[in-house]
Amino acid sequence: MTDLRRDPVAGRWVAIAPARATRPGAAKEVEDELASCPFCAGQEDQTPPETLRLGDGPTGWAVRVVPNLYPALERQEVVVHGHEHRRSLGELDDETLALVAEAWQRRARDVGGTVFAIVNEGHAAGASLPHSHSQLAWLPGPPPALLAERGLPEGEVVLERDGLVARCPRASRVPYEVQIAPARSEPEGLRSLLLAPALQLLAELIRRIQAIRGEPTPLNAWLHEGTPWHLELLPRTTRLAGLELGAGVYINPVAPEDAAAALRNAG
């Protein structure tokens, strides 16, 4: 059981979830990950019974949704990205990404409530298992970070396609931070036909960041509903320290204009 507490002074929520410390891979990287991966085809018995199955594959699926065995919140589900062992969203094909978008939308519709969709990649970004996956977390209401937003900030355009615009915010928190939003304002990504193209664009940007840096980059990404809805990509290219965590003042060693230019050129 988890205990969701709200700090009335700061307005933030904290999930007290001691069981999270026992989840596989939480303390260190998983060794022999292919043999032990519960998300690969043929090892479905290592997860709880699925709540959704989409597509096809060696065992009759391309994307699965299962309850999180170690939830931080009362309801939390894992979306498994493909039956093959892929470490990054950037390694997925467009068809799989479209099914991921469909899974997010169908579970949000079927369950209802406030759904927060997130992607954690890499041990440093909080992922306990390396097989590409996302999380759907049901919150008691809009998250504080979303309530604090006042629209999208100005930014340097990286890419425009499929009715979407990807920008590096003018005050990016970290190098290569990107926001992906509809060119025309829409309130709900979990109902939008543009969610699949947005995830495909996110995958393209992840590939470009890895090409620039020459190595896999841990990252976090999430979907913010609102007007407009948007995906935020926060690569873990720097370490957060006292100023960031204590004062909310971020130190970014790469100007967003330069980051946007590098991302454009990487294509």
Side-chain angles (χ1 to χ4, degrees):
M1 297 294 292
T2 62
D3 180 9
L4 187 62
R5 304 176 185 178
R6 182 181 182 275
D7 184 326
V9 177
R12 60 175 169 257
W13 295 341
V14 176
I16 309 300
R20 296 280 288 176
T22 64
R23 60 191 172 134
K28 60 182 180 180
E29 293 285 1
V30 177
E31 297 179 2
D32 194 17
E33 63 185 49
L34 279 174
S36 61
C37 179
F39 294 160
C40 286
Q43 305 197 91
E44 293 83 358
D45 60 344
Q46 297 185 32
T47 69
E50 63 205 27
T51 57
L52 181 66
R53 173 183 290 215
L54 297 173
D56 54 21
T59 53
W61 61 274
V63 166
R64 296 175 74 227
V65 184
V66 299
N68 191 317
L69 269 175
Y70 305 91
L73 301 166
E74 185 175 352
R75 186 179 193 115
Q76 196 168 341
E77 296 184 343
V78 177
V79 182
V80 181
H81 300 169
H83 52 77
E84 295 183 328
H85 196 78
R86 298 285 183 264
R87 279 176 155 259
S88 173
L89 196 81
E91 298 178 41
L92 305 179
D93 57 41
D94 285 352
E95 292 76 13
T96 301
L97 290 164
L99 291 175
V100 172
E102 182 181 348
W104 288 10
Q105 293 177 323
R106 285 182 58 172
R107 292 306 293 152
R109 181 194 66 204
D110 293 347
V111 177
T114 301
V115 183
F116 194 65
I118 56 176
V119 177
N120 300 328
E121 279 191 12
H123 190 64
S128 58
L129 291 172
H131 191 127
S132 179
H133 63 282
S134 52
Q135 301 268 352
L136 298 175
W138 275 261
L139 302 173
L146 178 57
L147 293 174
E149 288 184 347
R150 298 178 177 86
L152 288 179
E154 296 180 358
E156 184 78 13
V157 174
V158 177
L159 282 173
E160 293 185 71
R161 77 180 190 203
D162 299 327
L164 298 159
V165 182
R167 294 182 176 89
C168 288
R170 184 174 179 273
S172 295
R173 290 164 287 186
V174 298
Y176 311 109
E177 177 182 355
V178 181
Q179 293 185 345
I180 300 170
R184 294 186 178 181
S185 184
E186 297 181 340
E188 294 183 82
L190 289 172
R191 295 181 181 270
S192 175
L193 295 175
L194 294 178
L195 182 59
L199 286 178
Q200 292 161 0
L201 183 53
L202 175 64
E204 170 66 22
L205 291 165
I206 291 171
R207 290 191 290 270
R208 294 190 184 198
I209 291 170
Q210 292 176 345
I212 292 168
R213 291 174 54 79
E215 59 183 358
T217 301
L219 62 92
N220 302 104
W222 54 84
L223 172 67
H224 267 185
E225 299 284 49
T227 305
W229 65 266
H230 57 282
L231 288 171
E232 296 191 18
L233 169 60
L234 198 76
R236 292 300 191 94
T237 49
T238 60
R239 288 185 293 178
L240 304 184
L243 273 175
E244 293 86 354
L245 299 175
V249 177
Y250 289 81
I251 302 171
N252 186 346
V254 179
E257 302 81 19
D258 296 337
L263 288 168
R264 288 192 295 269
N265 292 335

